[in-house]
Amino acid sequence: MVDFALSDENRLVQESARAFAEAEILPHIREWDEKGEVHREVFGRMAELGFLGAPLPEQYGGGGMDYISFALLCEELERADTAFRVVQSVHVGLNSLALLQWGTDEQRRRWLVPQARGEKLATFGLTEPGVGTDAASLASTARRDGASYRLNGQKIWISLADVADHFLVFASVDRAKKARGITAFMLERGMKGLSTATLHGKLGIRAGNTGVINLDDVSVPEENRIGEEGEGFLIAMSAIDQGRYTVAAGAVGLAQACLDASLRYAHERQTFGQEIGRHQLVKQMLAKMAAGIEMGRLLVWRAGWLKNQGLRNTRETSLAKWHATDHAVQSALDAIQVHGANGYSNEFPVERYLRNSKAAVIYEGTSQLHTLIQADYALGYREDRPLRCEPWPADGFRRPASSPASAPSG
């Protein structure tokens, strides 16, 4: 049976997230964006509401939300501003869910529990100055030193870099092995040789922190390694599946914000003696926004259904991310067009929506990369293989018996 009805829990999460955004973000976001201010205290209030551990199991301090609720949370946060959805993407999607899937129970209790409770803020360091989409070519190195590793290199375009407490970073133990040499490590702020800095001059997401991580001969104990040596590329790609899901859900929210603003303006603004919403070509832009939002939301929910069961969803999440982020950019462009000259001013929010929308067609895989991914699946060139540590089902769900793995491992 196909059922698109939201549960009472889904609706409660949606309403709580919307109320939070309306009270804590929307009254201030124009000023924060204009000044480039990051307000970590807002992240603290997100933690109090359970947002920072939303889909994590209750046994590790999380909220036990299903992935449809998690998508709705991301959608509502980005409907207010992208910076606050980014926290969900990086802290929860890229770091905490990767730790849940690939960490040992001891590692989960050491790092995941305080992250789920919001006591510690976490980030993810893969991108480097010379390495983005080609993640197998990392220049950062990890050299064995007895019972530790020595990490050297730099990560860039790292969300929360200057405010995070925990860092899931990737470095190569053997660059000649390319992807098979990459290994994952959990670092903590305060480790000798680890430093961070903030990037300035961004086009958008100005109310969020983005920066660099410098690794200068950082000594990392072996017990901080996540997964096996050489398994880091698989860990990174599975983490990015989680991140792409949050980005896709958030992009639906951004497109929805564009439509909301455009509908209000279409009723308020009059030309030639009538509301501009009466003009056919304005209607066309609004209709395209609405149609694309519905398509994106359904693609996200399909991926969310698979995630609830603990099933691989790389193909479905890629498609949702590709469509939703491209559509958010087009919706923002059309929203400015509907607003005319007013859309070119930060007196109206659509100017911020356009600036914020552009990043998501670059990070978590460019639109061009997702085009190739979808073509390779369609052509049969790409096939997902079982992982040593499969994704966890959402609390209250279980992986079907026919799945390659019947229970979480790691």
Side-chain angles (χ1 to χ4, degrees), residues 53-65 97 100 112 116 392-393 395:
L56 299 169
E58 292 182 1
Q59 72 186 92
Y60 293 115
M65 279 185 196
L97 286 171
L100 175 68
L112 186 59
W392 282 48
D395 272 9

Side-chain angles (χ1 to χ4, degrees), residues 61-310:
M65 279 185 196
D66 79 323
Y67 282 92
I68 302 301
S69 290
F70 188 39
L72 294 168
L73 170 59
C74 293
E75 180 180 332
E76 291 299 327
L77 289 174
E78 185 146 8
R79 195 175 180 183
D81 190 74
T82 305
F84 299 91
R85 187 273 303 152
V86 166
V87 178
Q88 297 299 118
S89 295
V90 178
H91 173 86
V92 182
L94 291 171
N95 188 303
S96 294
L97 286 171
L99 190 55
L100 175 68
Q101 181 177 347
W102 294 92
T104 64
D105 192 62
E106 181 181 348
Q107 289 172 332
R108 294 179 196 127
R109 297 198 179 279
R110 179 179 174 185
W111 294 303
L112 186 59
V113 170
Q115 290 176 192
R117 293 173 178 166
E119 298 163 357
K120 297 291 184 180
L121 201 59
T123 189
F124 178 90
L126 181 65
T127 302
E128 297 180 352
V131 177
T133 300
D134 183 14
S137 299
L138 293 186
S140 295
T141 59
R143 175 177 54 84
R144 270 280 191 178
D145 182 19
S148 300
Y149 292 84
R150 294 279 179 176
L151 269 61
N152 286 278
Q154 186 182 67
K155 304 296 179 178
I156 196 168
W157 297 111
I158 308 302
S159 298
L160 308 181
D162 237 8
V163 296
D165 305 292
H166 296 163
F167 307 80
L168 179 58
V169 302
F170 299 83
S172 181
V173 296
D174 186 347
R175 295 194 66 210
K177 292 182 178 179
K178 299 284 282 184
R180 295 181 184 275
I182 295 172
T183 303
F185 302 90
M186 186 69 82
L187 278 57
E188 300 177 42
R189 188 172 294 279
M191 285 182 164
K192 185 178 179 180
L194 187 156
S195 62
T196 62
T198 294
L199 293 170
H200 298 282
K202 294 183 297 181
L203 173 67
I205 320 180
R206 294 176 180 172
N209 175 256
T210 307
V212 298
I213 302 171
N214 298 304
L215 306 171
D216 184 9
D217 214 30
V218 182
S219 179
V220 182
E222 186 176 20
E223 56 265 30
N224 286 42
R225 188 187 70 213
I226 307 301
E228 302 295 335
E229 202 171 274
E231 203 169 37
F233 186 79
L234 295 176
I235 295 172
M237 293 303 103
S238 61
I240 286 172
D241 275 352
Q242 305 285 16
R244 286 171 179 166
Y245 180 73
T246 65
V247 171
V252 172
L254 180 52
Q256 184 68 59
C258 292
L259 178 60
D260 294 341
S262 298
L263 291 173
R264 284 194 301 270
Y265 195 79
H267 282 303
E268 294 168 0
R269 176 72 169 171
Q270 293 198 355
T271 61
F272 305 102
Q274 59 182 349
E275 294 180 355
I276 63 170
R278 297 288 183 183
H279 301 319
Q280 288 184 345
L281 294 182
V282 172
K283 287 182 178 180
Q284 182 185 53
M285 288 186 282
L286 298 174
K288 285 166 59 182
M289 282 188 222
I293 290 165
E294 293 298 324
M295 294 174 202
R297 191 173 283 131
L298 289 172
L299 288 171
V300 169
W301 289 0
R302 180 175 69 157
W305 184 90
L306 292 169
K307 294 171 81 63
N308 278 343
Q309 323 305 316

Side-chain angles (χ1 to χ4, degrees), residues 343-402:
Y344 206 66
S345 164
N346 70 355
E347 292 286 336
F348 291 81
V350 293
E351 176 264 354
R352 173 167 52 89
Y353 298 157
L354 178 60
R355 289 188 288 102
N356 284 353
S357 70
K358 188 58 185 172
V361 295
I362 299 171
Y363 56 50
E364 309 286 3
T366 63
S367 295
Q368 290 72 27
L369 175 64
H370 288 287
T371 303
L372 298 178
I373 288 173
Q374 293 302 316
D376 284 347
Y377 275 120
L379 287 161
Y381 297 160
R382 183 180 179 121
E383 181 180 351
D384 294 330
R385 298 175 182 176
L387 298 170
R388 181 177 67 82
C389 299
E390 293 290 338
W392 282 48
D395 272 9
F397 293 81
R398 63 170 41 188
R399 188 178 288 111
S402 58

